[in-house]
């Protein structure tokens, strides 16, 4: 959650400064960036809402809880990034190409964008620090593909897009200032919009997989398999199904248990394995165990 707070704090200040600078300078690229930052603020609030809803206790209608609420709101964030951020920026750029206007006081926009780069870099640093605490030395691109924490995926994508967008907008305004041609500013807005659309599609595809249903992260799934095979109560592990439910896991096990003289002894074995599995893997909330004598 701290990564979301970092991003929200940075984007709130950036959005306000960009909006004032866009109105003052008439820069299309700056306006596109102001809309982008405002959309990011709304996105972070939605992510916080999703995290809060995911903590609700199970109900008869939702017996496995509300953990996947984070995936729904993360997907909504991707849609907002696409529509509010990307589509509007492209529209504004195309509009300014057909109705070009010279920039007023472009140095105001340049200073605001420079400060924005520093704030977004601070936000991205906070996000990467939180990722490193969870993923160690795993490459960021691999974390993006394998992680089941949709909120961090979204914040990382937003922060990278924001830094790249600020760089594009800054370059566009500098080119307009150097050449006196306002078309560069308009093309900067279109480039920012295209970037946001690409990021939104990438984030949306990752979250879509989580909404449909994915197993635990590959390393966690393999660790649980190995753990079960080493238990003395488990003679043969036939199958392990893990299912990510937000921040926690649903696990189903099919195995041949060690020979027991009674049904109560078999039940005691299963209960012992289930309790130990939850203790060894704290993210596991539910375990369904099917003892069998064939695969």
């Amino acid at each position: 959650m701290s990564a979301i707070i970092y991003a929200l704090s940075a984007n709130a200040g950036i959005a306000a400064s960009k909006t004032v600078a866009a109105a003052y300078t008439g820069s299309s690229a700056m306006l596109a960036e102001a809309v982008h930052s405002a959309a990011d603020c709304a996105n972070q609030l939605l992510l916080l809402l999703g995290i809060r809803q995911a903590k609700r206790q199970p109900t008869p209608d939702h017996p496995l809880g509300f953990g996947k609420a984070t995936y729904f709101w993360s997907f909504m964030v991707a849609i907002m990034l696409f529509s509010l951020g990307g589509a509007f920026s492209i529209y504004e750029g195309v509009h300014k190409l057909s109705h070009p206007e010279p920039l007023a006081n472009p140095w105001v926009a340049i200073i605001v964008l420079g400060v924005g780069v520093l704030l977004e870099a601070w936000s991205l640093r906070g996000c990467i620090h939180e990722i490193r605490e969870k993923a160690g030395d795993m490459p960021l691109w691999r974390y993006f593909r394998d992680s089941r924490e949709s909120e961090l995926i979204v914040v990382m994508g937003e922060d990278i897009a924001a830094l790249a967008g600020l760089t594009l907008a800054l370059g566009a305004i500098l080119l307009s200032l150097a050449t006196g041609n306002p078309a560069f500013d308009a093309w900067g807005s279109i480039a920012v919009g295209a970037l946001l659309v690409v990021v939104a599609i990438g984030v949306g595809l990752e979250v879509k997989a989580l909404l449909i249903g994915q197993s635990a992260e590959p390393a966690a799934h393999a660790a649980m398999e190995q753990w079960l095979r080493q238990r003395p109560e488990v003679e043969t592990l036939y199958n392990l199904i893990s299912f990510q439910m937000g921040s926690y896991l649903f696990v189903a096990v099919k195995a041949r248990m060690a020979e027991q003289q009674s049904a109560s002894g078999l039940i005691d074995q299963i209960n012992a394995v289930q309790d130990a599995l939850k203790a060894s893997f704290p993210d596991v909330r539910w375990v369904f165990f099917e003892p069998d004598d064939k695969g």
Side-chain angles (χ1 to χ4, degrees):
M1 183 180 292
S2 59
I4 301 175
I5 301 300
Y6 275 121
L8 180 59
S9 301
N11 282 316
I14 292 171
S17 62
K18 286 178 181 176
T19 301
V20 172
Y24 190 62
T25 64
S27 167
S28 177
M30 178 60 76
L31 180 59
E33 276 297 305
V35 173
H36 175 192
S37 293
D40 280 351
C41 288
N43 293 343
Q44 274 107 48
L45 291 173
L46 290 179
L47 291 176
L48 291 173
L49 174 63
I51 291 173
R52 180 178 178 181
Q53 290 185 347
K55 294 179 180 178
R56 294 170 60 189
Q57 294 300 310
T59 66
D61 283 340
H62 300 276
L64 297 182
F66 295 83
K68 295 180 77 171
T70 55
Y71 301 157
F72 169 78
W73 289 113
S74 295
F75 193 75
M76 292 300 295
V77 165
I79 293 174
M80 287 184 63
L81 196 64
F82 179 91
S83 57
L84 293 183
F88 178 83
S89 298
I90 293 173
Y91 165 80
E92 179 64 18
V94 172
H95 174 73
K96 282 296 179 70
L97 278 177
S98 57
H99 300 85
E101 297 176 6
L103 298 181
N105 300 301
W107 285 106
V108 173
I110 291 170
I111 292 171
V112 169
L113 289 172
V115 173
V117 167
L118 295 176
L119 290 174
E120 287 292 355
W122 171 74
S123 174
L124 181 59
R125 180 179 178 274
C127 179
I128 291 175
H129 177 72
E130 187 167 344
I131 289 172
R132 287 295 175 223
E133 289 182 345
K134 299 174 181 293
D137 294 330
M138 179 187 295
L140 289 179
W141 67 270
R142 173 53 61 186
Y143 178 84
F144 186 85
R145 295 304 310 273
D146 290 350
S147 175
R148 304 303 191 247
E149 296 180 277
S150 61
E151 64 276 12
L152 280 180
I153 293 174
V154 171
V155 171
M156 182 172 69
E158 281 184 343
D159 285 347
I160 292 173
L163 269 178
L166 285 164
T167 303
L168 287 171
L170 184 59
I173 291 174
L174 287 173
L175 282 172
S176 292
L177 179 63
T179 64
N181 184 355
F184 285 110
D185 180 55
W187 281 111
S189 178
I190 294 172
V192 170
L195 172 69
L196 293 179
V197 168
V198 170
V199 171
I201 291 173
V203 170
L205 289 175
E206 289 299 317
V207 178
K208 166 180 165 285
L210 291 168
L211 273 173
I212 293 172
Q214 278 189 299
S215 65
E217 294 180 12
H221 187 94
M224 284 189 289
E225 276 194 339
Q226 183 180 7
W227 185 93
L228 286 165
R229 294 185 194 280
Q230 293 175 348
R231 291 292 299 187
E233 301 93 340
V234 178
E235 185 174 299
T236 306
L237 177 64
Y238 293 126
N239 194 20
L240 170 66
I241 296 174
S242 62
F243 195 71
Q244 193 76 41
M245 302 289 293
S247 61
Y248 46 84
L249 290 170
F250 165 98
V251 174
V253 181
K254 183 177 182 180
R256 178 198 292 272
M257 306 301 290
E259 292 292 337
Q260 287 292 320
Q261 300 300 316
S262 65
S264 61
L266 177 63
I267 292 171
D268 289 341
Q269 277 189 335
I270 292 172
N271 287 336
V273 173
Q274 288 179 334
D275 292 344
L277 181 66
K278 290 180 180 179
S280 298
F281 299 90
D283 289 343
V284 175
R285 181 169 294 188
W286 294 281
V287 183
F288 290 82
F289 217 104
E290 180 185 353
D292 207 336
D293 60 357
K294 55 186 177 180

